[in-house]
Amino acid sequence: MDYRELVSHGDLHYNHTVKRSEGGLPIGNGKMGSLLWTSPSAVKFQVNRVDVYANDRSTNSFNQRHTDYGYACGFVDIDLVDYGEDVFQDGTVHQHLDLYDALASIRGNGVKLEAFAYDHSDLFAIKVDDERDLPQGINIKLKMLRPAEVITKSHLAVSTLSMQKGIMLLKQEFREGNYYCSSVVAIGISGREGVIRMNDEMGGREPVCDFRESKVLGQPNETEMRLCVKPEAGSFEILIASAATFDENEDITTAAVNQLVSAQNAGYERMLQEHKAWWNEFWSKSYIRLSSADGSAERVETHYTYYLYLMAANSRGGKYAPNFGGMLLSPRGDFRHWGAMQWWSNLRLYYNAVLATGHHELMLPYFSMYSGMYDSCAKAAEQQWGSKGIYIPETVWFNGVDELPEDVAVEMRELYLLQKPWEERSERFKQYAHNKHPHESRWNWKGHERWVDGNLTYTDKSWGPFGSTSHMFVNIAGIAYHYWNYYEFTNDSEWLRDRAYPMIKGAAEFLRNYPHMRKDEDGKYHMYNTISGEKYIGGKDTIQVMSSLYGIMPVLIKAADILAVDSEMIPVWKEFYHNLAPIPTSDHPEAVFKTKENEPAVWVGAIGKVLDERRDIATDPMRYFNLCTLETAFDNPEWFEIGMATLAFQEAQLGGDWGKAATEMSSITSVLAGMGHAVGFKQAVMAQLECINAEREYCYYQDTGRIKFYDNRLTVREGVNAISAQRLGNVANGLQYALCQSQPGGPGKASVIHVFPACPKDWDAEFSLWCHGGFKVTSAILKGVIDSISIESTLGGICRLRNPWGDKKIAIVHEDQKEITLLGSLIEFETYRGATYSIAVPHH
């Protein structure tokens, strides 16, 4: 496999300047990242880090939507023109992002530049080559994100510029109560002389801007410094390092400077070779190659490769996952639409496709973040809900959930569990809630706010204590199931014991002990008053909660059995699991949506009355927890039939065009591919890539009007500074399912590999992907024919494969040329660790 040639299909090539910063070239090392974009005379960066947050779960200073902020550390401009002609003009500029080497290059009139995010420290390395007949002085500007001091209620943000041994430094510090976070950006050069200058001071102490309930101190000319580089022909290097901490006593200025000095000592070329070596090895782990007469397959392949690059650039090596909106690539400061909190229903779309690539390391920041908030979420389960286990809100701060004063916690339980009328909230509760962020799930009953006579006022959403995400629990089980899935791919028993099991048990016990879970007269356990996907408000047995229970309980029981723990609880869990109420279907007399008598039953959102009067079918069991897959046809044919009926009903509603359902956040590509629907998968995946389904998906403007996505394939649905790759995550996950699935017939059951279960008939495809049990599967389909399958067993154990040649006899050849033949739909054979097996229809 020529990986360089294959990966290059996803490269970015511009022969023009980008009209907005959001269209720049993305680079990152997983902890530190930026877009690179051009103005006519400069190349620009915004240094972003995954571990920089202005505030945390304890804040009382950001009770307006979209006002909390984080991630950004500073602006950097490399001004290449002092006096003379612009260097970057449409028609003569060429910009290129080489994915295989993770190297960005920009060439203009007499100037060229290349840049990368170094993989062994938090550093951008940039090489500038001045080829102009009359070289000019180049100014590297380091700019604050805001005035030097900004006070927002109890919150203080202080930025300071300084210099040290020829290095420019920008430090920002955030404080509120006991919370502290700071970051440092350090900039130096190699191979050229330079001098650091700061603007002259101006008199006066007038504020430079005015915010409601805020005051800004400092002077506009204190916000920028520059490193002036001597005019010379030839090349030199710019090094941009960063560091961050939550410890006020940690000297991160020295840490950033040391990274930069080490880079200067190592030299640009050595770092570049190390960087290329890392990325070149990265690409050899797995691949997908596609082709088709209409070009659709190539377009999907291009975006798949690009998705994998973005994940490695944005989620690697740190303790925190990137935010779904903006990732490490926001270019317009540290305010972004939807704020700095994590929204799991969005975030999961980035991570669903990771494990099949074999790059398990890309999942670790996600796991580190959620494990890191375990204790606070255990306290929240008790305080807020009177339950056990862990409560992870759908929308949550990076470090979890704040502990409540006990009197507030008592009243919150009474209100949220409908034991106390919403109209009887105490003034104490109202005032406490007033200061909290309305995006946080706890306080998400707040409606849109407005200012009245200088006071911020709220209305609620007319559902009492229910907000869009306040009683939404699928994320808790969904996060835990990601931990279980990691174990399924790795068979890492230490991981299962130390990392996954606490989360799985915590999620299951929260749901089982939730006060509105009760056993009714029918002998079944029913869940009351929850929310499913920001709808079916206050419903009974809502689709996501019931899917969560059917997903997490068997996994908990299996994990406990594997680890030989909690033996006294296993009978309790089994009794609960085996007596769960059914997942709601349209043939229930109280279903929110009913099919006609002669129509087959489909899944619906809830039973009983819901406050938002939602009436709709639901596909959740095909989206979460392996509840309904191709293997379910063999293990649970009743559910499989309901799943197929649900898809058939929705297809009829869509007039046969699945592209109408493929919005930015929609998992429909994965649902269709997961159920073997090749035609629908192609319709949906192409619509999702093109963002052609509905104008409402676009919410940003260029000078030319509404736009769907930028030159760099990032979308704009999420709003200002919150550019997104969610659709690419959906496409990647759906594509993997179309080519190779390793799905069980139900949660906790044995996984079975399906090869090309939903590949469009007009596509030729080749892949090497990872499956449950550590099996690396490689195969190709040409004009609808699968010639052979290669399976590398990295962990050993039993391999299970659905025979892609129907019931034909197949030959399995071990690498030592020993051959066995098997017959039937399901092929099972023992493998040895490290061995590779070739599978084909025998020709003799």
Side-chain angles (χ1 to χ4, degrees):
M1 173 59 63
D2 184 346
Y3 289 103
R4 180 178 291 278
E5 182 273 337
L6 175 63
V7 172
S8 70
H9 298 173
D11 287 3
L12 295 178
H13 296 275
Y14 306 162
N15 290 315
H16 56 82
T17 58
V18 294
K19 305 308 177 188
R20 296 187 70 95
S21 56
E22 290 89 343
L25 305 176
I27 60 173
N29 67 1
K31 291 192 293 182
M32 171 182 174
S34 180
L35 293 176
L36 278 65
W37 69 96
T38 55
S39 69
S41 62
V43 174
K44 298 172 180 287
F45 292 72
Q46 178 176 299
V47 180
N48 299 301
R49 290 186 61 94
V50 75
D51 51 2
V52 173
Y53 304 89
N55 52 276
D56 76 338
R57 65 195 187 198
S58 63
T59 184
N60 286 307
S61 298
F62 299 94
N63 58 343
Q64 279 185 271
R65 286 168 173 78
H66 317 302
T67 58
D68 56 306
Y69 57 100
Y71 304 101
C73 304
F75 293 116
V76 180
D77 290 354
I78 303 173
D79 283 343
L80 300 164
V81 178
D82 194 3
Y83 177 82
E85 293 186 1
D86 291 335
V87 291
F88 301 128
Q89 299 174 334
D90 289 347
T92 59
V93 65
H94 178 68
Q95 303 185 62
H96 178 213
L97 178 63
D98 180 333
L99 300 189
Y100 188 70
D101 290 333
L103 185 66
S105 59
I106 302 173
R107 178 186 288 273
N109 298 326
V111 176
K112 60 181 180 181
L113 174 149
E114 66 178 26
F116 62 91
Y118 189 42
D119 297 286
H120 302 286
S121 66
D122 293 341
L123 182 110
F124 296 135
I126 304 106
K127 184 176 183 178
V128 180
D129 196 351
D130 194 335
E131 301 170 333
R132 291 172 287 196
D133 293 336
L134 295 174
Q136 296 194 30
I138 295 173
N139 289 297
I140 307 161
K141 296 177 180 177
L142 178 58
K143 303 178 181 180
M144 295 179 187
L145 298 163
R146 67 193 71 79
E149 293 186 33
V150 177
I151 300 171
T152 305
K153 299 178 183 175
S154 301
H155 182 270
L156 175 65
V158 176
S159 300
T160 308
L161 292 166
S162 63
M163 63 186 78
Q164 185 180 128
K165 299 178 181 178
I167 297 172
M168 293 192 295
L169 296 164
L170 167 58
K171 183 174 185 177
Q172 59 178 4
E173 297 177 280
F174 305 110
R175 300 174 189 270
E176 182 176 356
N178 294 324
Y179 178 73
Y180 176 86
C181 180
S182 66
S183 68
V184 168
V185 176
I187 302 180
I189 59 175
S190 292
R192 188 71 59 88
E193 293 181 18
V195 60
I196 298 174
R197 290 194 171 94
M198 188 180 292
N199 294 339
D200 295 332
E201 285 197 12
M202 296 171 60
R205 297 294 295 176
E206 291 298 318
V208 299
C209 57
D210 182 29
F211 299 121
R212 286 195 175 107
E213 297 193 66
S214 302
K215 59 179 178 177
V216 181
L217 307 175
Q219 302 167 38
N221 55 326
E222 293 175 339
T223 63
E224 176 184 319
M225 66 193 310
R226 65 190 187 277
L227 199 167
C228 307
V229 182
K230 182 180 179 181
E232 284 183 14
S235 64
F236 71 99
E237 292 82 46
I238 303 168
L239 303 170
I240 305 172
S242 72
T245 186
F246 297 103
D247 182 356
E248 189 171 358
N249 297 314
E250 183 178 352
D251 184 358
I252 57 166
T253 298
T254 298
V257 168
N258 287 345
Q259 286 187 104
L260 195 149
V261 171
S262 294
Q264 288 174 323
N265 293 336
Y268 181 87
E269 291 303 324
R270 174 182 158 187
M271 289 192 297
L272 178 59
Q273 293 310 309
E274 292 174 348
H275 171 80
K276 288 181 176 180
W278 188 94
W279 276 93
N280 298 171
E281 175 65 22
F282 173 86
W283 291 112
S284 68
K285 194 80 172 181
S286 62
Y287 67 87
I288 290 176
R289 181 190 290 273
L290 305 173
S291 63
S292 63
D294 64 0
S296 62
E298 290 88 342
R299 182 157 176 75
V300 174
E301 177 210 295
T302 293
H303 284 77
Y304 176 83
T305 303
Y306 187 62
Y307 156 80
L308 194 50
Y309 169 81
L310 288 176
M311 288 305 297
N314 285 274
S315 178
R316 177 163 47 94
K319 293 182 179 179
Y320 304 98
N323 186 272
F324 79 91
M327 302 171 284
L328 291 175
L329 306 176
S330 293
R332 295 178 176 272
D334 49 10
F335 286 97
R336 55 178 70 178
H337 208 67
W338 304 111
M341 276 183 274
Q342 294 290 2
W343 301 62
W344 180 79
S345 291
N346 302 80
L347 186 64
R348 68 183 174 89
L349 305 181
Y350 288 95
Y351 287 97
N352 286 336
V354 165
L355 290 172
T357 70
H359 292 292
H360 304 151
E361 72 279 5
L362 305 185
M363 294 292 299
L364 297 182
Y366 172 91
F367 292 134
S368 176
M369 179 181 71
Y370 281 115
S371 289
M373 62 178 74
Y374 182 95
D375 289 343
S376 76
C377 294
K379 187 67 176 178
E382 172 194 341
Q383 277 201 313
Q384 183 168 340
W385 301 108
S387 189
K388 297 181 180 179
I390 54 172
Y391 166 60
I392 308 173
E394 157 68 15
T395 307
V396 67
W397 301 101
F398 73 95
N399 60 347
V401 194
D402 197 27
E403 184 171 348
L404 297 167
E406 193 52 40
D407 62 325
V408 174
V410 168
E411 185 169 3
M412 176 178 275
R413 286 196 299 274
E414 294 173 344
L415 291 166
Y416 287 27
L417 295 173
L418 310 182
Q419 297 164 355
K420 178 179 181 177
W422 186 242
E423 296 74 18
E424 294 180 12
R425 285 166 290 165
S426 68
E427 289 303 315
R428 160 75 164 151
F429 181 86
K430 290 179 182 178
Q431 186 57 50
Y432 189 89
H434 179 83
N435 294 326
K436 296 301 181 180
H437 201 297
H439 281 159
E440 187 178 357
S441 291
R442 271 185 166 173
W443 316 106
N444 193 234
W445 46 264
K446 292 183 177 182
H448 291 292
E449 64 272 10
R450 65 192 185 101
W451 291 88
V452 178
D453 296 329
N455 297 309
L456 185 65
T457 62
Y458 293 96
T459 58
D460 62 35
K461 294 181 177 178
S462 303
W463 304 319
F466 293 100
S468 300
T469 65
S470 60
H471 294 63
M472 186 171 158
F473 302 141
V474 66
N475 54 290
I476 311 171
I479 292 163
Y481 204 82
H482 270 145
Y483 280 76
W484 171 253
N485 209 28
Y486 185 94
Y487 168 74
E488 291 268 58
F489 274 90
T490 64
N491 284 354
D492 186 339
S493 57
E494 184 177 346
W495 164 269
L496 180 62
R497 182 181 301 277
D498 297 339
R499 301 292 301 278
Y501 189 71
M503 303 297 287
I504 294 167
K505 181 179 177 181
E509 285 293 85
F510 174 80
L511 293 170
R512 188 177 71 88
N513 290 281
Y514 185 68
H516 284 171
M517 168 65 71
R518 61 176 181 258
K519 198 172 190 178
D520 285 351
E521 292 180 357
D522 61 0
K524 300 295 184 181
Y525 289 98
H526 294 268
M527 179 75 91
Y528 292 82
N529 301 313
T530 65
I531 293 172
S532 179
E534 300 191 16
K535 50 185 183 285
Y536 310 115
I537 307 297
K540 174 184 176 183
D541 295 343
T542 54
I543 187 79
Q544 285 189 348
V545 164
M546 297 314 296
S547 297
S548 297
L549 288 162
Y550 275 100
I552 205 64
M553 292 310 302
V555 163
L556 171 62
I557 293 166
K558 183 172 182 178
D561 184 61
I562 292 170
L563 298 173
V565 296
D566 287 328
S567 57
E568 75 286 357
M569 288 300 299
I570 290 178
V572 176
W573 293 333
K574 285 184 176 180
E575 188 277 335
F576 177 74
Y577 172 56
H578 292 306
N579 290 290
L580 283 173
I583 295 176
T585 52
S586 59
D587 55 354
H588 190 284
E590 296 180 84
V592 294
F593 178 87
K594 295 182 179 66
T595 45
K596 297 176 182 177
E597 286 188 14
N598 60 342
E599 291 178 334
V602 300
W603 278 309
V604 298
I607 59 176
K609 182 176 174 57
V610 293
L611 297 178
D612 57 342
E613 298 184 349
R614 181 80 180 205
R615 301 286 183 266
D616 205 354
I617 65 171
T619 59
D620 299 81
M622 293 174 282
R623 287 192 281 144
Y624 301 107
F625 311 115
N626 303 122
L627 292 171
C628 189
T629 70
L630 286 175
E631 272 305 299
T632 312
F634 303 93
D635 283 88
N636 190 341
E638 180 184 355
W639 278 18
F640 186 76
E641 289 174 10
I642 297 173
M644 293 299 286
T646 303
L647 290 182
F649 190 94
Q650 186 172 5
E651 185 172 24
Q653 287 183 314
L654 296 169
D657 181 5
W658 283 103
K660 295 177 181 178
T663 60
E664 168 91 357
M665 282 186 62
S666 172
S667 300
I668 195 62
T669 51
S670 302
V671 169
L672 292 165
M675 295 293 284
H677 198 319
V679 173
F681 162 72
K682 183 178 177 181
Q683 291 174 340
V685 79
M686 299 314 300
Q688 199 153 48
L689 283 184
E690 300 296 340
C691 292
I692 60 176
N693 57 83
E695 191 176 83
R696 66 184 176 84
E697 288 293 309
Y698 323 147
C699 61
Y700 210 114
Y701 288 79
Q702 270 186 326
D703 295 338
T704 54
R706 290 185 182 272
I707 56 177
K708 309 175 200 175
F709 45 80
Y710 291 104
D711 304 83
N712 55 19
R713 308 181 185 123
L714 299 176
T715 56
V716 295
R717 174 186 185 270
E718 304 301 345
V720 177
N721 215 27
I723 50 180
S724 163
Q726 292 171 93
R727 90 191 202 287
L728 301 186
N730 279 318
V731 165
N733 198 44
L735 177 61
Q736 290 170 350
Y737 280 179
L739 303 184
C740 184
Q741 297 178 27
S742 56
Q743 303 228 60
K749 295 183 178 180
S751 294
V752 178
I753 298 168
H754 288 249
V755 176
F756 298 113
C759 184
K761 289 183 178 180
D762 57 339
W763 287 11
D764 291 339
E766 182 181 355
F767 71 83
S768 186
L769 293 169
W770 293 75
C771 294
H772 288 175
F775 295 107
K776 186 178 183 182
V777 181
T778 304
S779 188
I781 189 168
L782 180 64
K783 299 186 184 306
V785 177
I786 305 169
D787 183 57
S788 65
I789 302 169
S790 174
I791 298 181
E792 179 185 352
S793 177
T794 64
L795 302 174
I798 296 175
C799 180
R800 297 174 180 85
L801 171 72
R802 280 289 161 196
N803 190 339
W805 297 282
D807 290 329
K808 288 184 179 180
K809 182 185 292 185
I810 65 172
I812 302 174
V813 182
H814 186 268
E815 55 194 7
D816 62 6
Q817 300 307 307
K818 292 181 180 178
E819 179 179 318
I820 62 171
T821 59
L822 294 172
L823 184 66
S825 169
L826 178 63
I827 305 301
E828 296 183 82
F829 58 98
E830 187 72 40
T831 68
Y832 298 97
R833 186 187 186 98
T836 300
Y837 301 83
S838 179
I839 304 171
V841 175
H843 297 292
H844 53 76

